[in-house]
Structures are given as structure tokens and as C-alpha cells.
Amino acid sequence: MKKTFSHSRILSVRCFTARAGLLLSLTALSACDLAPRYAPPHYVVPVSWHGQAPFKEASPGNVALKTDWWTLFGDPILDGLEQKALANNADLQAAAERFSQSRAIVMEARSDLLPHFGMAFGASDNKSSADRLFRYKGPITATDEFYSGLASWEPDIWSGIRNRVRVQKYYAQEQAADYAAARLSLEAELATDYFALRGLDAQHAIYAQSITYYQQALHVTQTRLDNQDATGIDVARAQNQLYMTQAHLLDVQAQREVLEHGIAVLVNEQPSTFRIEPVDNLTNVEPIVPTGLPSELLERRPDIAASERRMAQANRAIGIARAAFYPHVFFSANGGFDSNGFNLANLANSMWSYGASVSMPLFEGGLRRAQLQHSWSVYRETLDHYRTTVLSAFGDVENGLSLSNRLRAEAERLNLAVGTAQKSQTLTMTLYKGGADNYLDALIAQVNTLDARIDHVQVQARALQSTVGLIRALGGGWQKKDLPAPDATMTFGVMQYSGLQIPQDTMQQLNK
């Protein structure tokens, strides 16, 4: 139930002046903001990272990641793929459109702060029945033509409208942070897939070299069998080793094709025509990745920024729920000409009215209290999500540091293992050719060499991928200051009516 006051009549100049004074007074009251004071929560963070990755140290000239972080790997092909993905990926473009949509919603909410003006006009021709009840003398036909101007405005006394605008501005900032997160995810996924593909290239080269070597070993074994210096078991073992390696090569080829198709989709090209030329060696080196201080992570992760903006929105929603408890004032005015003929532009045919209404809830069965209680609960929920996001971010960085460190050490050990395995393979095969050893020892040496070489390149690829994961965990060079300011989320001026189809500064806002 609402108590409503409405009054509309012709007033004197003195009364009009008094009403204007009231209007100014109500406008002055619009500074009342019922939203709680907001400040992002502060957490105690460690002074340094627990992980001891070898590239934790950074030179003075390289203290921060750049947004084009993939150039640290020094691979021109990867550089070109990343640029294609950023320019053409459909999912990333869709994220940019969501930011544009959120900016339009800001302008929609902001429109309620301003007076609304409109026009109305119309005409009608009416005929009454000659036998109508309570007939009176006069014409039974009449015409009516009118045109008028309309105006309405609601003063934002309790900042309910302003808080709705702020909520939408914060939502637009959230969408900008989500775009940055989507862009970083795309960049990292592409780099991860690329290094996996290069790892498969290196495995392909190793398997191809091993197949050539095993074919030669099979020929030697077959020759020794023909000369009765070997047994059929040795030939069968050599054949088994050759066929198994050929099967592994086919599996690597299938995995590479699938990865290549996935990369094609990321860069928005047809998988059937997309091609990345293979290489024989995994020559990419792990770059120096400046981690910075743990306290800086809160400013460098777009997902943390998006979570914080959701919390700010929930805080403003509390102010909106509180404003619903207080009186709301609405002003309206209407004026124009009305006549039963075409002589409208006559002062005698003018008409106008203006008035004000005040509405205030008295009893609604707990509706407003339930809405306020709900808004507080939503705010606390966003606070919980923010805390989880922050803890997950620190966990991501620590995992990246630890994994990169261990994989680097593992790659060093496997490199030594490859050297010793190749030496053993050469010696045992030489002994076997000379009849001083059996083929089983040579076969074991071959298996050990192949396993060591494959394990080595796999760990090398995983180490590169872990570096990409660490860069992603650190925010990929993004900074919270790259978010558009709240007022920058508005897309056009009040009197602007052109250039509305695509906001010209959208990508500038997103790619600062």
C-alpha cells in the first residue's frame, strides 16, 4: 500500500516561484547516498614467493612483464600466430562486444538522471448515436485535434538512480577485466598448444632417426642370422623394436595433426588448409620471467580485478535497496493546443498542466526488508568469492614457480641421461657387430636411448608450457590501471546522435 499525493492546477507566478524553490531544494538533497562506505578488503600477503624458480631473478631493465610476453621466447612463428589470434579470434571479439553492451547499459541507466521530453499529437472524428441515452440538443459529430509537449523528471534524492548507474559502470569495468582475462587465456592456450606441437615435432624427428637406426640394426641381425652368427630370436626382437617405434611415430603424427587443427581454430583459420611447418629440434629457451612482489599480484590479475568489481556492484546494490524505504518524488508537465477544428495555433486553444507526486511505502508485507537482506547476503557472497580468487591466484603462481624449477632440473638430468644412453647404445652395437656381445644387451641400450631422448624433449616442452602457465598466473603484463575509469565507460554525449553503431574507442579502452 502506498500513500500518494498528486496535484495539478494553474498556479500564480508566486506559487510557481515557490515550486521552483522546492525543486532546487530536492535537487540539493540528491547528494544523500545510502550505500555503505566501500573499500576493497586487505589481506596479509607474503613478502616473497616460496617457489625458487631459476628465472625469479630479473635484471633492473626487465622488472615487469610486457603485454606481448610471448616475444620473450624468440619465436617469430609464435609471434605471428599470437597476432592473428588477437586480431581474428571470434571468442575474443565476442568478449569485446559484451564490454560494448555493458557500456550501452551504463547510458541506459544514466538516462534516468535527466529529464525526459517528448511530443504527442493526434486527431479524431467522433459521431454519437442520435438515439443515445440522455440526448441533448447539439451536433452528434465532433472532431478533436491536438499536439503537445511532454516532460517528466524524478529527482534522485536518495541516490537510488545514481547507484544504479554506478552499478552499471562497475559492471562495464568487470566486463573489461573479463575481456583481459579472455585475451590472456587465449594467448596462453595458443602458446601452450604451440610448444606441445613443437615437442611433438622433436619426438617425430627422434622416432624417425631411431627407425633408421633400427632398420640398420635389423639388417645387421638378419645378416648375422644368414651367417649363422645369430638366432631367430634376435631377428624377432629387432623387428619388434622397429615395428613398435613405427607405431609410436604414427601416434605422434596423429597428435600433431589434432594440435595443428586446434591452433587453426584459435587463429580463426580453416583447419583443412592451415599448416605449421615442422622442425627437428626444440630450440626454444626458457626466458627470464620477472615475478615481482606477491603484493603486486592483486593489481596484475584481471580475474581478481573482475571479482573486486563484482563486490563493488553488490555494495552499491545495498544503497539501492535502502533507497526503496524512502519517499520518491516525480514531476511531470504537459502543454500544447487542443481544438475541435484546424485552428489550433490560437492562444485560446492552448492547454497545459504540471504537477508533482510523492509516493512512499507504508506496508508491503516485508518486501523491502527482504530485498535489503538479500542485497547484504549477495555482498557477503562476493566477498567470499573475492577471497577465494585471491588465494587461487597465489596458488597458481606458487605452482608455476615450483613446477618450472623442477622441470628445469629434470631436463638437465635427462640431458645427461641421453648422453650416457647414446654412448651405451653405440658401444653395445659395436660389440654386437664384432660378435663380442649378444643382441639383448644392444636392444636394451636402444630402448634406454629412445626412452631417454623422448623423455627429454617431453620435459623440455612441459618446461616451456610451465613458463607460459607462470606468466599467465602473473597476469601476462596486465595492470589494474588498464581498466577504463568509471566515467570512461560512457559511450556518447547527451546530445550525440551519430556514430552510435560501434563505439569508436571500445578497443582503445580494452587494449591500453
Side-chain angles (χ1 to χ4, degrees):
M1 181 176 65
K2 294 184 179 180
K3 183 179 179 181
T4 304
F5 167 75
S6 180
H7 185 60
S8 178
R9 59 181 178 145
I10 300 177
L11 298 176
S12 64
V13 175
R14 181 179 301 175
C15 185
F16 179 79
T17 304
R19 186 67 63 84
L22 175 61
L23 177 62
L24 293 175
S25 300
L26 291 174
T27 304
L29 286 174
S30 64
C32 182
D33 188 355
L34 300 178
R37 186 183 299 275
Y38 174 74
H42 296 282
Y43 297 106
V44 177
V45 298
V47 295
S48 61
W49 298 109
H50 179 266
Q52 299 296 322
F55 35 77
K56 180 182 176 184
E57 302 284 337
S59 62
N62 188 23
V63 295
L65 281 169
K66 297 180 180 180
T67 53
D68 57 346
W69 51 265
W70 55 86
T71 58
L72 296 173
F73 294 95
D75 193 320
I77 297 178
L78 176 60
D79 295 346
L81 291 173
E82 292 285 359
Q83 293 298 333
K84 284 184 179 180
L86 292 177
N88 302 321
N89 183 268
D91 290 334
L92 189 61
Q93 292 174 353
E97 291 300 334
R98 287 192 290 273
F99 174 64
S100 294
Q101 294 162 21
S102 67
R103 297 179 73 189
I105 296 175
V106 171
M107 302 307 295
E108 180 180 342
R110 181 177 177 268
S111 66
D112 290 336
L113 287 171
L114 305 174
H116 291 192
F117 299 95
M119 294 181 61
F121 55 88
S124 63
D125 190 2
N126 310 292
K127 177 183 179 298
S128 301
S129 172
D131 295 329
R132 64 187 181 275
L133 189 62
F134 306 117
R135 177 183 178 187
Y136 64 93
K137 293 183 179 180
I140 62 174
T141 60
T143 60
D144 183 42
E145 296 85 22
F146 74 93
Y147 58 87
S148 62
L150 310 173
S152 62
W153 178 57
E154 178 184 356
D156 190 22
I157 301 174
W158 313 111
S159 292
I161 300 176
R162 281 181 173 82
N163 279 327
R164 283 195 289 271
V165 175
R166 293 181 183 118
V167 165
Q168 298 307 327
K169 287 181 178 179
Y170 298 160
Y171 176 68
Q173 290 183 302
E174 177 195 341
Q175 291 302 307
D178 285 343
Y179 172 85
R183 181 179 63 190
L184 178 58
S185 177
L186 171 64
E187 295 165 352
E189 182 180 356
L190 177 57
T192 300
D193 290 349
Y194 178 78
F195 289 130
L197 182 139
R198 287 311 188 198
L200 291 174
D201 282 345
Q203 292 182 52
H204 185 282
I206 292 172
Y207 281 125
Q209 294 166 9
S210 298
I211 287 172
T212 300
Y213 184 87
Y214 297 158
Q215 288 173 337
Q216 295 173 353
L218 177 60
H219 176 72
V220 170
T221 307
Q222 185 65 49
T223 300
R224 287 175 58 85
L225 177 63
D226 294 340
N227 295 330
Q228 297 183 352
D229 290 333
T231 65
I233 296 177
D234 292 341
V235 174
R237 288 171 175 168
Q239 290 174 335
N240 176 265
Q241 180 69 4
L242 174 61
Y243 298 152
M244 287 295 296
T245 306
Q246 289 173 336
H248 288 314
L249 178 61
L250 293 173
D251 184 69
V252 166
Q253 290 173 341
Q255 293 181 53
R256 189 190 190 280
E257 290 176 0
V258 171
L259 268 177
E260 194 173 48
H261 297 161
I263 293 175
V265 173
L266 292 179
V267 299
N268 200 39
E269 292 195 15
Q270 286 290 342
S272 58
T273 58
F274 182 75
R275 178 69 173 164
I276 298 177
E277 292 300 325
V279 296
D280 291 338
N281 298 305
L282 191 60
T283 57
N284 301 90
V285 296
E286 296 179 45
I288 295 176
V289 178
T291 59
L293 299 175
S295 58
E296 298 171 349
L297 186 64
L298 302 183
E299 303 294 320
R300 293 160 57 179
R301 289 267 301 220
D303 58 336
I304 293 179
S307 181
E308 187 274 328
R309 289 292 83 189
R310 285 190 288 271
M311 192 163 47
Q313 294 171 54
N315 178 80
R316 289 295 175 182
I318 295 173
I320 297 173
R322 282 176 169 176
F325 285 91
Y326 295 89
H328 286 254
V329 180
F330 186 80
F331 295 97
S332 62
N334 180 22
F337 295 88
D338 192 352
S339 176
N340 61 354
F342 290 97
N343 188 21
L344 291 179
N346 190 322
L347 187 60
N349 296 328
S350 62
M351 59 87 181
W352 57 270
S353 67
Y354 63 89
S357 64
V358 181
S359 63
M360 179 178 177
L362 294 180
F363 178 76
E364 295 181 306
L367 173 64
R368 310 289 177 172
R369 286 170 289 165
Q371 292 172 338
L372 179 59
Q373 191 178 64
H374 177 264
S375 64
W376 273 108
S377 179
V378 170
Y379 174 75
R380 292 192 296 270
E381 181 185 3
T382 60
L383 182 62
D384 294 334
H385 285 310
Y386 180 76
R387 183 170 63 250
T388 300
T389 302
V390 170
L391 290 176
S392 297
F394 277 96
D396 291 341
V397 176
E398 292 291 1
N399 290 341
L401 289 169
S402 299
L403 186 60
S404 300
N405 180 42
R406 301 306 178 190
L407 288 175
R408 182 186 178 96
E410 184 179 356
E412 292 174 354
R413 299 300 186 277
L414 285 172
N415 186 48
L416 297 175
V418 168
T420 57
Q422 288 179 327
K423 183 178 180 180
S424 175
Q425 177 180 258
T426 301
L427 291 175
T428 55
M429 196 62 188
T430 300
L431 292 173
Y432 176 70
K433 289 180 180 179
D437 202 352
N438 59 61
Y439 188 74
L440 182 60
D441 290 339
L443 179 63
I444 293 174
Q446 292 171 10
V447 171
N448 291 339
T449 300
L450 179 60
D451 289 345
R453 294 183 70 188
I454 293 299
D455 288 346
H456 184 224
V457 297
Q458 286 179 340
V459 170
Q460 281 183 306
R462 288 176 59 201
L464 291 169
Q465 291 174 322
S466 70
T467 303
V468 173
L470 175 60
I471 292 173
R472 180 178 182 176
L474 292 169
W478 185 84
Q479 297 286 341
K480 188 176 180 179
K481 62 181 179 60
D482 295 333
L483 281 181
D487 289 342
T489 59
M490 295 185 289
T491 56
F492 54 83
V494 176
M495 302 305 294
Q496 177 184 342
Y497 294 93
S498 62
L500 302 179
Q501 183 176 2
I502 301 178
Q504 298 301 315
D505 63 339
T506 294
M507 297 313 298
Q508 289 85 341
Q509 293 280 355
L510 292 173
N511 297 318
K512 289 183 178 180

